[in-house]
Amino acid sequence: MKNKGRKFLIAVGVLFLIESLLTFLSNGIPSQLLHNTFFGVSLVLMGMSGIFQDYEYFILNKSSYIALLSLTIYSWTITAYIYLFKPVFTIGPDFYIFAVLLIFLTAIAAFGYKKFREYQKAVEPYEKTLKIKPTDVTALNNKGIILAGFKAYPQAVECFDETLKIDPENVQAMYCEGNVLAKMKIYQTAVEYYDKALKLDSNNIDILNNKGNALTKLEKYPEAVDCYNAALELDHNDVNVWHNKGNALQELRKCKEALECYRKVLELEPDFEFTKKAKNILKINK
């Protein structure tokens, strides 16, 4: 859902909630109160649905979390009011539909609080360091890595960009920014960052492997295989690289060479994460 659509749903939902608040304060009809609150909460939840993909909705935007918490408390107040003082309205299905929605809303609020606390705890040491020394590239890089771990990708990129302004030859920042851009599916720019990092650290297996993965996503399979080969020259027993090379060779329809890669995976690590897939491919091609 696009941002404009989310904002529209939230705005309409808030109008329903304001109307339900006025009904509540005037001791109005509980059925109308329940319906207005139900539609208000539903629309706000639909507008906020992006929180399941974008954790930064909670970890970086306190006002959004406070709004959701307030909405949860208000909804529980409405539920308690009807249950205690107007029990006749708990007989119909509307009340129980609203109760299920309210449980869902409470679960989201609890999820948001958990993520918020996890982020605050993880980032606190680096925030303290950056207050004292804003140019500390280690703290900036670590903060960016934490942000990326919470899927706050644009904010993570900002941290790595800031590091590179201070230290233009910081290989870790280049590599990490490439990884984040790949997560954002901006593969071509990710490759550019990997190339910058490789100019300074040409023997880094992880960078070569991840560059190969980004090239595979861009369907540049021969170039990807070249990256994997360069990585295997540095470490001939890297299982991940052998597996990724096999995938790229499959896309090139070089099945015999791909099978050799998968056999190498099985030889090196029988319990590897993708061993089942490798075994199935080998069985099919016997």
Side-chain angles (χ1 to χ4, degrees):
M1 188 187 299
K2 294 182 178 178
N3 285 334
K4 286 184 179 178
R6 288 184 188 176
K7 289 177 180 177
F8 175 76
L9 288 174
I10 291 171
V12 175
V14 168
L15 288 174
F16 270 105
L17 289 169
I18 291 171
E19 187 177 355
S20 69
L21 178 61
L22 294 173
T23 305
F24 177 65
L25 293 174
S26 62
N27 199 25
I29 304 169
S31 58
Q32 182 187 352
L33 174 62
L34 192 61
H35 280 112
N36 290 345
T37 306
F38 177 83
F39 285 116
V41 172
S42 298
L43 290 168
V44 172
L45 277 176
M46 288 170 65
M48 296 178 75
S49 61
I51 61 175
F52 293 111
Q53 291 81 38
D54 308 317
Y55 294 156
E56 73 269 24
Y57 199 95
F58 280 136
I59 65 173
L60 299 174
N61 193 342
K62 291 181 183 178
S63 60
S64 296
Y65 178 66
I66 291 168
L68 181 61
L69 189 62
S70 302
L71 179 61
T72 306
I73 293 168
Y74 173 69
S75 299
W76 276 109
T77 303
I78 296 297
T79 306
Y81 167 75
I82 293 173
Y83 183 79
L84 294 172
F85 301 107
K86 304 287 183 179
V88 66
F89 290 98
T90 65
I91 297 170
D94 286 354
F95 181 83
Y96 295 99
I97 292 171
F98 180 70
V100 170
L101 183 68
L102 182 52
I103 292 168
F104 179 59
L105 178 66
T106 305
I108 294 175
F111 167 83
Y113 180 74
K114 180 175 178 288
K115 286 293 173 186
F116 177 75
R117 292 302 301 157
E118 284 177 3
Y119 171 74
Q120 290 296 323
K121 186 177 179 180
V123 85
E124 185 179 7
Y126 308 116
E127 292 281 15
K128 286 180 179 177
T129 301
L130 290 169
K131 281 182 182 178
I132 299 167
K133 188 181 177 184
T135 57
D136 189 307
V137 293
T138 302
L140 279 167
N141 272 342
N142 287 338
K143 182 181 177 182
I145 291 167
I146 289 167
L147 284 162
F150 281 89
K151 300 184 181 180
Y153 300 131
Q155 292 79 11
V157 167
E158 287 175 11
C159 284
F160 300 131
D161 282 342
E162 189 63 30
T163 296
L164 292 170
K165 284 179 186 176
I166 299 163
D167 180 8
E169 295 189 350
N170 191 296
V171 174
Q172 186 188 25
M174 294 173 187
Y175 171 57
C176 290
E177 181 152 355
N179 290 344
V180 172
L181 290 167
K183 292 280 188 183
M184 297 169 74
K185 300 183 179 180
I186 309 174
Y187 298 115
Q188 186 57 54
T189 310
V191 169
E192 292 169 12
Y193 274 90
Y194 292 138
D195 282 336
K196 290 177 185 177
L198 287 167
K199 284 180 182 178
L200 299 166
D201 186 5
S202 59
N203 293 329
N204 191 306
I205 295 171
D206 291 331
I207 299 174
L208 285 165
N209 181 54
N210 285 9
K211 180 186 173 183
N213 293 342
L215 288 166
T216 299
K217 291 292 186 181
L218 291 168
E219 299 183 1
K220 296 181 178 180
Y221 304 118
E223 293 175 47
V225 171
D226 289 342
C227 285
Y228 299 134
N229 285 336
L232 290 170
E233 284 179 17
L234 297 167
D235 182 358
H236 196 67
N237 294 324
D238 192 302
V239 179
N240 285 294
V241 179
W242 278 112
H243 175 262
N244 294 334
K245 181 183 174 181
N247 290 346
L249 288 167
Q250 258 200 301
E251 295 294 341
L252 288 168
R253 301 293 186 268
K254 295 184 177 181
C255 298
K256 189 176 289 186
E257 293 177 50
L259 288 173
E260 289 303 316
C261 291
Y262 293 133
R263 285 194 181 97
K264 190 68 178 178
V265 170
L266 293 172
E267 176 190 321
L268 290 168
E269 195 174 326
D271 296 325
F272 184 63
E273 183 183 356
F274 298 100
T275 295
K276 287 183 180 179
K277 177 184 175 183
K279 283 181 179 176
N280 289 335
I281 292 169
L282 289 170
K283 283 179 183 176
I284 291 167
N285 288 275
K286 274 186 177 180

